[in-house]
Amino acid sequence: MVERIRRLPDADVSITAKAGAALQSTRTALRKGCAMIVAVGGAATFNQVVNGLREGGPAVRLGLIPFGTGNVFQPRMGLPPDVQQPFPVLTPGHGAARQLGRGPPAQGPAV
């Protein structure tokens, strides 16, 4: 998976393992002027990346490849179950513009 991402045009790979590392990597990518951020992981990783994007900076493309332990995020977002399927969509000319927003805190138990 990592090697396939490295082959994307102008890829700079940051592998994270500690809490908060994906947020810091996102901030660094924004400072470097990256045009696209691809997050591979689960809901916690995606949450950190999106929070980093919310902090401001230029608009960037965001690719999400579900690879989490529980993989709860993938079906809820309608992402393909096969982690190889998103790669063609990460190339220029694909994707859709979305606005980041902030919603109310979740109510009830986490699922």
Side-chain angles (χ1 to χ4, degrees):
M1 170 85 58
V2 172
E3 287 309 314
R4 189 146 186 208
I5 293 171
R6 286 186 202 278
R7 287 193 299 264
L8 291 170
D10 301 316
D12 182 10
V13 176
S14 173
I15 298 173
T16 63
K18 294 189 272 183
L23 174 61
Q24 187 57 43
S25 290
T26 302
R27 290 173 177 155
T28 300
L30 292 173
R31 278 194 301 275
K32 287 179 163 182
C34 290
M36 179 188 338
I37 294 175
V38 177
V40 180
T45 300
F46 298 159
N47 182 52
Q48 288 182 48
V49 171
V50 169
N51 282 333
L53 293 175
R54 276 186 340 130
E55 291 178 0
V60 298
R61 291 178 53 136
L62 173 62
L64 302 174
I65 300 178
F67 209 68
T69 305
N71 215 12
V72 175
F73 190 81
Q74 175 266 328
R76 290 185 180 181
M77 293 300 295
L79 297 171
D82 179 359
V83 296
Q84 301 302 318
Q85 286 182 356
F87 283 97
V89 180
L90 298 176
T91 58
H94 291 86
R98 298 285 185 258
Q99 294 287 327
L100 289 179
R102 177 178 277 182
Q107 301 295 315
V111 289

